[in-house]
């Protein structure tokens, strides 16, 4: 409830200031007749109302121009003192303006406003002829209390602003890190696809050289070599099309000529994952492009890594691959902590999975299982 009230007050600051001033305005109106009838306001009822208006109206802009409002109210009170007009309830506007300066301005302006208020109290006591140490001390305590309250409100306001600024900065940094992680993952995919395409081009060159040597002595061998060139070229072209638009970011270090892993290395990955993992393959295995095999390999690798990190001690995993007529379904499940696992603030593994699989027209779903554990489900289309 207090949060809603605070939000509403921030949306309507002018109305809130008016509500805060309403009691002081009402007091001035109610005491107008009594002050003039008792002779405490020799300027008459009209002068009393005019002077009260001059003191109270500037307070409606104290939120946007606190120093100007304090200067206007202080000078008006000073001219009132010069005219030998006794103080009346509207002169409390000086203290209201003082509070606004302390809460919204720098410390030097707050100190100056406090000293001016102290001077005004001293002049008023001189005019009343009641200047004494005890009276001045009592009035000073009242002014200092208002000054310290405004200082606390100023400090609190700046503290809340700092918290909001840090929260916004943390949110921007989180988004920036997510974008950097996506860019790094795209760069990694681009490098791996580059290796796949380079391998296919190397095969084309070897087959072309073989066909050139065998074209006269063994035409059948040359024909098979040309067919292999055609098949490999189509695969390389398909991988190149997927690589277009993917950001490539060359990192430091020497070149790595190790072939990229595929489905043939999946069993070795399962054995070396450090977990008790079962691998099940159903359906008739089909020949997949090397890039798609690499995407499946990385997906299983990332899923098993997440199980190792977040599944807890004793977690088991199951890797299932189901070959269909038109799609390959890859499912990695575990019996670990699932939804109870603490979130990783710098984890971008699921983002990398989706980036890889989406390049081949597939989709990934990853979520905790209802009965416990975690499941990663990917569907990749199988090209004819």
């Amino acid at each position: 409830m207090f949060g809603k009230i605070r939000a509403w007050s921030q949306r309507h600051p002018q109305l809130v200031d008016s509500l805060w001033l309403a009691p002081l305005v009402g007091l001035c109106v109610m005491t107008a007749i009594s002050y003039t009838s008792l002779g405490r306001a020799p300027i008459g009822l009209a002068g009393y109302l005019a002077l009260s208006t001059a003191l109270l109206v500037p307070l409606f802009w104290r939120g946007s121009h606190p120093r100007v409002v304090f200067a206007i109210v202080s000078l008006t009170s000073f001219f009132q003192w010069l005219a030998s007009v006794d103080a009346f309830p509207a002169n409390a506007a000086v203290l209201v303006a003082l509070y606004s300066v302390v809460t919204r301005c720098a410390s030097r302006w707050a100190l100056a406003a406090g000293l001016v208020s102290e001077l005004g109290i001293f002049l008023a006591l001189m005019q009343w002829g009641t200047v004494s140490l005890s009276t001045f001390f009592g009035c000073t305590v009242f002014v200092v209390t208002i000054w310290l309250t405004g200082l606390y409100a100023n400090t609190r306001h700046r503290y809340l602003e700092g918290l909001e600024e840090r929260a916004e900065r943390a949110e921007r940094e989180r988004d920036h890190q997510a974008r950097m992680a996506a860019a790094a993952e795209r760069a990694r995919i681009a490098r791996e696809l580059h290796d796949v395409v380079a391998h296919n081009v190397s095969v084309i060159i070897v087959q072309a050289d073989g066909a050139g040597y065998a074209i006269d002595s063994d035409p059948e061998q040359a024909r098979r070599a040309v067919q292999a060139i055609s098949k490999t070229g189509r695969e390389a072209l398909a991988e190149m099309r997927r690589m277009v638009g993917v950001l490539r970011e060359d990192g430091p270090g020497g070149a790595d000529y190790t072939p990229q892993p595929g489905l043939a290395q999946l069993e070795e990955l399962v054995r070396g994952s450090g977990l008790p993992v079962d691998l099940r393959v159903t359906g008739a295995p089909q020949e997949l492009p090397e890039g798609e095999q690499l995407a499946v390999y990385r997906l299983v690798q990332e899923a098993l890594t997440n199980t190792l990190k977040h599944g807890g001690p004793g977690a088991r995993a199951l890797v299932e691959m189901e070959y269909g007529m038109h799609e390959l379904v890859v499912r990695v499940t575990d019996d670990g902590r699932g939804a109870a696992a603490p979130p990783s603030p710098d984890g971008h593994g699921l983002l990398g999975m989706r980036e890889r699989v989406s390049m081949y027209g597939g989709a990934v779903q990853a979520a905790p299982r209802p009965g416990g554990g975690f499941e990663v489900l990917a569907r990749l289309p199988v090209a004819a």
Side-chain angles (χ1 to χ4, degrees):
M1 182 182 68
F2 291 105
K4 293 181 180 179
I5 294 176
R6 182 172 179 267
W8 180 85
S9 62
Q10 289 178 349
R11 291 194 303 267
H12 306 86
Q14 204 72 18
L15 180 59
V16 173
D17 288 344
S18 302
L19 293 176
W20 280 110
L21 289 178
L24 181 59
V25 175
L27 178 63
C28 294
V29 172
M30 288 186 297
T31 57
I33 298 177
S34 62
Y35 263 72
T36 54
S37 62
L38 295 175
R40 299 181 64 180
I43 55 178
L45 180 60
Y48 176 90
L49 294 177
L51 187 57
S52 298
T53 302
L55 289 169
L56 296 178
V57 169
L59 296 180
F60 288 96
W61 290 274
R62 69 187 188 280
S64 55
H65 306 286
R67 289 178 294 177
V68 176
V69 170
F70 181 80
I72 293 174
V73 173
S74 300
L75 288 176
T76 303
S77 299
F78 180 68
F79 289 134
Q80 176 186 351
W81 179 80
L82 291 177
S84 300
V85 178
D86 290 342
F88 47 84
N91 291 112
V94 176
L95 301 178
V96 177
L98 168 66
Y99 180 83
S100 300
V101 171
V102 177
T103 55
R104 291 177 171 85
C105 299
S107 56
R108 63 179 184 275
W109 293 108
L111 181 60
L115 294 177
V116 170
S117 301
E118 283 292 305
L119 177 62
I121 289 177
F122 180 76
L123 293 178
L125 292 177
M126 282 183 57
Q127 189 179 52
W128 291 342
T130 57
V131 178
S132 65
L133 183 61
S134 60
T135 306
F136 182 74
F137 179 76
C139 295
T140 300
V141 169
F142 185 68
V143 173
V144 170
T145 301
I146 296 176
W147 192 86
L148 291 177
T149 304
L151 183 63
Y152 171 77
N154 189 353
T155 305
R156 179 72 176 176
H157 180 68
R158 293 181 183 275
Y159 173 73
L160 293 177
E161 284 185 346
L163 289 180
E164 293 176 358
E165 183 181 356
R166 284 196 291 270
E168 292 177 358
R169 189 186 309 118
E171 186 175 355
R172 289 195 299 268
E173 290 177 355
R174 183 193 62 193
D175 296 340
H176 180 64
Q177 289 177 358
R179 289 193 296 268
M180 290 181 59
E185 189 64 29
R186 288 175 181 267
R188 182 184 176 190
I189 295 170
R191 287 193 293 268
E192 293 176 350
L193 286 178
H194 175 270
D195 296 338
V196 172
V197 174
H199 169 71
N200 289 335
V201 173
S202 301
V203 172
I204 291 174
I205 295 173
V206 172
Q207 294 289 346
D209 291 340
Y213 284 115
I215 193 170
D216 296 326
S217 59
D218 192 351
E220 181 63 23
Q221 180 68 27
R223 185 179 66 83
R224 290 195 297 269
V226 172
Q227 290 176 348
I229 291 173
S230 176
K231 177 177 178 296
T232 308
R234 287 191 178 91
E235 292 180 357
L237 181 60
E239 300 297 338
M240 284 291 294
R241 285 173 177 169
R242 293 188 179 97
M243 190 170 62
V244 171
V246 178
L247 178 63
R248 172 96 191 234
E249 185 179 47
D250 297 327
D256 186 8
Y257 297 99
T258 304
Q260 296 294 337
L263 296 182
Q265 288 77 31
L266 200 57
E267 187 174 354
E268 181 181 351
L269 171 66
V270 168
R271 288 198 306 266
S273 62
L275 289 167
V277 184
D278 295 330
L279 175 62
R280 298 177 187 174
V281 180
T282 58
Q286 302 185 33
E287 185 177 355
L288 301 177
E290 294 184 15
E292 193 167 352
Q293 293 187 38
L294 176 60
V296 174
Y297 181 92
R298 295 301 187 196
L299 184 142
V300 174
Q301 184 183 43
E302 182 64 32
L304 294 179
T305 301
N306 288 340
T307 300
L308 188 63
K309 290 169 59 178
H310 307 294
R316 298 180 60 89
L318 173 62
V319 179
E320 299 175 277
M321 296 183 59
E322 180 182 348
Y323 288 91
M325 294 184 59
H326 302 290
E327 69 175 3
L328 169 64
V329 179
V330 182
R331 181 183 288 105
V332 183
T333 57
D334 63 62
D335 57 357
R337 289 179 288 188
S344 178
D346 56 350
H348 302 282
L350 296 179
L351 178 64
M353 292 182 190
R354 294 190 176 96
E355 289 281 348
R356 292 177 182 276
V357 174
S358 63
M359 283 196 308
Y360 295 93
V364 176
Q365 296 177 353
R369 301 169 64 191
F374 202 86
E375 179 184 64
V376 177
L377 176 64
R379 300 178 181 272
L380 292 92
V382 176

Coordinates of all heavy atoms in Angstrom, one line a residue, residues 13-14 17-18 21 53-54 56-70 72 97 100 104:
P13 N 3.3 15.3 -8.2 CA 4.0 16.1 -7.1 C 3.3 17.4 -6.8 O 3.3 17.9 -5.6 CB 5.4 16.3 -7.8 CG 5.1 16.2 -9.3 CD 4.0 15.2 -9.4
Q14 N 2.7 18.1 -7.8 CA 2.1 19.4 -7.5 C 0.9 19.2 -6.6 O 0.7 20.1 -5.7 CB 1.7 20.0 -8.9 CG 1.6 21.6 -8.8 CD 2.9 22.2 -8.7 OE1 3.9 21.7 -9.1 NE2 2.9 23.5 -8.3
D17 N 2.1 18.6 -3.0 CA 2.6 19.8 -2.4 C 1.4 20.7 -1.9 O 1.4 21.3 -0.8 CB 3.4 20.6 -3.3 CG 4.8 20.0 -3.6 OD1 5.2 19.1 -2.7 OD2 5.5 20.3 -4.5
S18 N 0.3 20.7 -2.7 CA -0.8 21.4 -2.3 C -1.5 20.9 -1.1 O -2.0 21.6 -0.2 CB -1.8 21.5 -3.5 OG -1.2 22.0 -4.7
L21 N 0.3 21.8 2.0 CA 0.2 23.2 2.4 C -1.2 23.6 2.9 O -1.5 24.7 3.4 CB 0.5 24.1 1.2 CG 2.0 24.2 0.8 CD1 2.1 25.1 -0.4 CD2 2.8 24.7 1.9
T53 N -0.9 35.9 1.2 CA -0.8 35.3 -0.2 C 0.6 35.4 -0.7 O 1.1 34.5 -1.4 CB -1.8 36.1 -1.1 OG1 -3.2 35.9 -0.5 CG2 -1.8 35.5 -2.5
A54 N 1.2 36.5 -0.5 CA 2.6 36.7 -1.0 C 3.6 35.7 -0.4 O 4.6 35.3 -1.0 CB 3.1 38.1 -0.8
L56 N 2.6 32.6 0.9 CA 2.2 31.2 0.7 C 2.2 30.8 -0.7 O 2.5 29.6 -1.0 CB 0.7 31.0 1.3 CG 0.6 31.2 2.8 CD1 -0.8 31.0 3.2 CD2 1.5 30.2 3.6
V57 N 1.8 31.7 -1.6 CA 1.7 31.2 -3.1 C 3.0 30.7 -3.6 O 3.1 29.7 -4.3 CB 1.2 32.4 -3.9 CG1 1.3 32.1 -5.4 CG2 -0.3 32.6 -3.6
P58 N 4.2 31.4 -3.3 CA 5.4 30.8 -3.9 C 5.8 29.4 -3.5 O 6.5 28.7 -4.1 CB 6.5 31.8 -3.4 CG 5.8 33.0 -3.1 CD 4.4 32.6 -2.7
L59 N 5.2 28.9 -2.3 CA 5.5 27.6 -1.8 C 5.0 26.5 -2.8 O 5.5 25.4 -2.7 CB 4.8 27.4 -0.5 CG 5.4 28.3 0.7 CD1 4.6 28.0 2.0 CD2 6.9 28.1 0.8
F60 N 4.0 26.8 -3.7 CA 3.5 25.8 -4.6 C 4.6 25.4 -5.6 O 4.5 24.4 -6.3 CB 2.3 26.3 -5.3 CG 1.1 26.3 -4.4 CD1 0.7 27.5 -3.8 CD2 0.3 25.2 -4.2 CE1 -0.4 27.6 -2.9 CE2 -0.8 25.2 -3.3 CZ -1.1 26.4 -2.7
W61 N 5.7 26.2 -5.8 CA 6.8 25.9 -6.7 C 8.0 25.5 -6.0 O 9.1 25.6 -6.6 CB 7.0 27.1 -7.6 CG 5.9 27.3 -8.6 CD1 5.7 26.8 -9.8 CD2 4.8 28.2 -8.4 NE1 4.6 27.2 -10.4 CE2 4.0 28.1 -9.6 CE3 4.4 29.1 -7.4 CZ2 2.8 28.8 -9.7 CZ3 3.2 29.8 -7.6 CH2 2.4 29.6 -8.7
R62 N 7.9 25.2 -4.7 CA 9.1 24.9 -3.9 C 9.8 23.6 -4.4 O 11.0 23.4 -4.2 CB 8.8 24.9 -2.4 CG 8.0 23.7 -2.0 CD 7.6 23.8 -0.6 NE 6.9 22.6 -0.1 CZ 5.7 22.3 -0.3 NH1 4.9 23.1 -1.0 NH2 5.1 21.1 0.2
G63 N 9.0 22.7 -5.0 CA 9.6 21.5 -5.5 C 10.6 21.6 -6.6 O 11.6 21.0 -6.7
S64 N 10.2 22.5 -7.6 CA 11.0 22.7 -8.8 C 12.1 23.9 -8.6 O 13.1 23.8 -9.2 CB 10.1 23.0 -10.0 OG 9.3 24.2 -9.7
H65 N 11.8 24.9 -7.8 CA 12.7 26.0 -7.6 C 12.8 26.3 -6.1 O 12.4 27.4 -5.6 CB 12.2 27.2 -8.3 CG 11.9 27.0 -9.8 ND1 12.9 26.8 -10.7 CD2 10.8 26.8 -10.4 CE1 12.4 26.6 -11.9 NE2 11.1 26.6 -11.8
P66 N 13.4 25.4 -5.3 CA 13.4 25.7 -3.8 C 14.2 26.9 -3.4 O 13.8 27.6 -2.5 CB 14.1 24.4 -3.3 CG 14.9 23.8 -4.5 CD 14.1 24.2 -5.7
R67 N 15.4 27.1 -4.1 CA 16.2 28.3 -3.7 C 15.5 29.6 -4.0 O 15.5 30.6 -3.2 CB 17.5 28.2 -4.3 CG 18.4 27.1 -3.8 CD 19.8 27.1 -4.5 NE 19.6 26.7 -5.9 CZ 20.6 26.6 -6.8 NH1 21.8 26.9 -6.5 NH2 20.3 26.2 -8.0
V68 N 14.8 29.7 -5.2 CA 14.1 30.9 -5.5 C 13.0 31.2 -4.6 O 12.7 32.3 -4.1 CB 13.7 30.8 -7.0 CG1 12.8 32.0 -7.4 CG2 14.9 30.7 -7.9
V69 N 12.2 30.1 -4.3 CA 11.1 30.3 -3.4 C 11.6 30.7 -2.0 O 10.9 31.6 -1.4 CB 10.3 28.9 -3.3 CG1 9.3 29.0 -2.2 CG2 9.7 28.6 -4.6
F70 N 12.6 30.1 -1.5 CA 13.1 30.5 -0.2 C 13.6 32.0 -0.2 O 13.3 32.7 0.8 CB 14.3 29.6 0.2 CG 14.9 30.0 1.6 CD1 14.3 29.5 2.7 CD2 16.0 30.7 1.7 CE1 14.8 29.8 4.0 CE2 16.6 31.1 2.9 CZ 16.0 30.6 4.1
I72 N 12.4 34.4 -2.1 CA 11.2 35.3 -2.2 C 10.5 35.4 -0.8 O 10.2 36.5 -0.3 CB 10.2 34.7 -3.3 CG1 10.8 34.9 -4.7 CG2 8.9 35.5 -3.2 CD1 10.0 34.3 -5.7
A97 N 9.9 26.6 3.3 CA 10.9 26.8 2.3 C 12.3 26.3 2.7 O 13.0 25.8 1.9 CB 10.9 28.3 1.9
S100 N 12.4 22.7 2.2 CA 12.6 22.3 0.8 C 14.0 22.5 0.3 O 14.5 21.7 -0.5 CB 11.6 23.2 -0.1 OG 10.3 23.0 0.3
R104 N 16.4 19.3 -1.1 CA 16.6 19.3 -2.6 C 17.9 19.9 -3.0 O 18.2 19.7 -4.2 CB 15.4 19.9 -3.3 CG 14.1 19.1 -3.2 CD 13.0 19.9 -3.8 NE 11.8 19.0 -3.9 CZ 10.9 18.9 -2.9 NH1 11.1 19.6 -1.8 NH2 9.8 18.2 -3.1

